[in-house]
Each structure stands twice: as C-alpha cells, then as structure tokens.
Amino acid sequence: MKASIFASLLATAAAFAPLTNDAKTSSLNAFEDAIGAQEPLGFFDPLGLLNDADEERFNRLRNVEIKHGRIAMLAFVGNLVPRAGLYFPGNIDLKGDAFSSFPPGIAAVLGDDACPREGLGQIVLIIGLLELFVMKDVTGQSEFPGDIRNGFDFGWDTFGENEKKFKRAIELNNGRAAMMGILGLMVHEEIEGNPVVGLFLSYN
C-alpha cells in the first residue's frame, strides 16, 4: 500500500512540473487551446505523453483523465462522509454488523477491521457492471471524451456551447483537485498518529 501511494504521489507531483518550450512540438501546439489548458497553469505535459500524439491519443488520455477525476471526486466525498459520522442505517450483513461499525477510508476495505470480503466483492461487482453497461456511450451520440450517453439526460443538451465548455472545464478542474485530495487523504492515513481529517472534525 505504501509503495503504491508513493508511486501515485511521485506521478502526481511530476504533473505540476512546468513544461519547457524546448519540449513542445508542433503536435503539442494543436492541443494548447484544449479545454483544461487554462490559467494559472496553462498547458502542461511534463511527462511528454503528447509528444507526436494525434487526436485519437489525446482523446484517449483525456477520457482516462475525466474518468479518474470522477472516481476521485466520489472517493473524496465518500471518505469525508463517514468521518463526519454519517452512515447508512441498519446492518451491512446478516451477522448484525452495522455500517457504522467499520472504519472510514482505506481501513474500510483493507486491514483487520475491514468489511467482509463478500462486501468488497459486491463493491467490485457493482463497479464492473457500471463500467460495462452504464458508464459508457451506449447511444453512439457522444460528442467529446467523457460524454456518457446512456439514456439518462439531466438537461445537458439544453445548455449552449459556451456553457457546455464552461461546465466541462469545471469538471476537469474539480476532478484534478479531487485526485490530489484523495491522494492526500490516503497518504495521511499511512502516517501514524496523524489522522488529519478526523483531527479537523474534532475542532469546535
């Protein structure tokens, strides 16, 4: 676990290193005005992932970034909610173990006090079903990476083009912040005696 957190931290830190002009290529210039390349950071590609990349590769990486951002936003909120003392009512299994009897964060799925393996298996199963059948473009009408068209419309098509771009940029920024946030929570969970979130919640 500590090794995976360190690797994630290293990769995330590298993402904030500035890109020098010498590393830019003509292919990069095509993406400098893409959504997400905005102030104050502008366009960054410190690892050179877009060197000589075409639009297909850019769209692939953007789709991965959006998906990870969405997962991180859910993970961050899901980490804070139980720390605030909010749990589902009732029991998690037939043995009578309450939802509130399990610790928040990584400890809920890994460690001596984690939820039963059957519960973890159900989580993995649900995620797999969502990935295969729901969180994808099933209509063939997707307009951009991350545009999930699965039959549920909450008013997206009623927005104008400028508003759509604005909201897409908001999602990207929130997803990037959430990836840093959940990584920070994971790191602090591994620091003995430093439960930062729980400490903050204890302040009056």
Side-chain angles (χ1 to χ4, degrees):
M1 172 58 66
K2 292 183 179 180
S4 62
I5 291 177
F6 177 76
S8 299
L9 180 61
L10 185 62
T12 307
F16 284 83
L19 178 69
T20 60
N21 291 331
D22 292 338
K24 292 186 179 180
T25 64
S26 58
S27 64
L28 293 181
N29 294 333
F31 308 121
E32 286 185 339
D33 295 327
I35 292 176
Q38 56 198 58
E39 297 296 335
L41 297 178
F43 179 80
F44 282 81
D45 182 26
L47 300 181
L49 298 177
L50 292 177
N51 288 350
D52 301 320
D54 55 14
E55 185 175 0
E56 181 179 358
R57 175 166 174 76
F58 175 83
N59 288 341
R60 165 63 180 164
L61 293 175
R62 173 51 54 88
N63 188 67
V64 170
E65 178 185 23
I66 291 175
K67 178 178 291 187
H68 286 178
R70 290 169 177 171
I71 293 172
M73 286 187 278
L74 289 171
F76 189 83
V77 174
N79 198 300
L80 295 183
V81 168
R83 292 182 187 278
L86 302 176
Y87 294 89
F88 286 117
N91 300 325
I92 195 173
D93 57 25
L94 298 178
K95 296 179 182 179
D97 296 318
F99 283 96
S100 58
S101 65
F102 296 97
I106 287 295
V109 293
L110 299 175
D112 297 334
D113 299 323
C115 66
R117 290 188 177 182
E118 294 82 358
L120 181 59
Q122 291 177 46
I123 294 174
V124 174
L125 176 62
I126 292 175
I127 292 174
L129 292 175
L130 288 173
E131 179 74 13
L132 291 174
F133 302 109
V134 180
M135 307 303 291
K136 58 188 298 185
D137 177 28
V138 298
T139 66
Q141 298 176 345
S142 176
E143 299 176 359
F144 51 85
D147 183 16
I148 296 175
R149 300 293 179 122
N150 52 16
F152 297 96
D153 182 10
F154 298 96
W156 176 258
D157 289 331
T158 64
F159 299 140
E161 290 303 315
N162 289 336
E163 190 171 7
K164 286 183 178 180
K165 291 181 179 179
F166 181 68
K167 290 185 178 296
R168 288 172 60 191
I170 289 176
E171 181 185 31
L172 271 173
N173 282 332
N174 287 348
R176 291 165 177 171
M179 284 188 276
M180 292 293 294
I182 191 61
L183 177 60
L185 292 177
M186 292 169 62
V187 168
H188 280 287
E189 277 196 55
E190 293 298 308
I191 300 176
E192 185 176 355
N194 190 18
V196 172
V197 177
L199 183 65
F200 288 162
L201 292 175
S202 67
Y203 287 160
N204 295 321

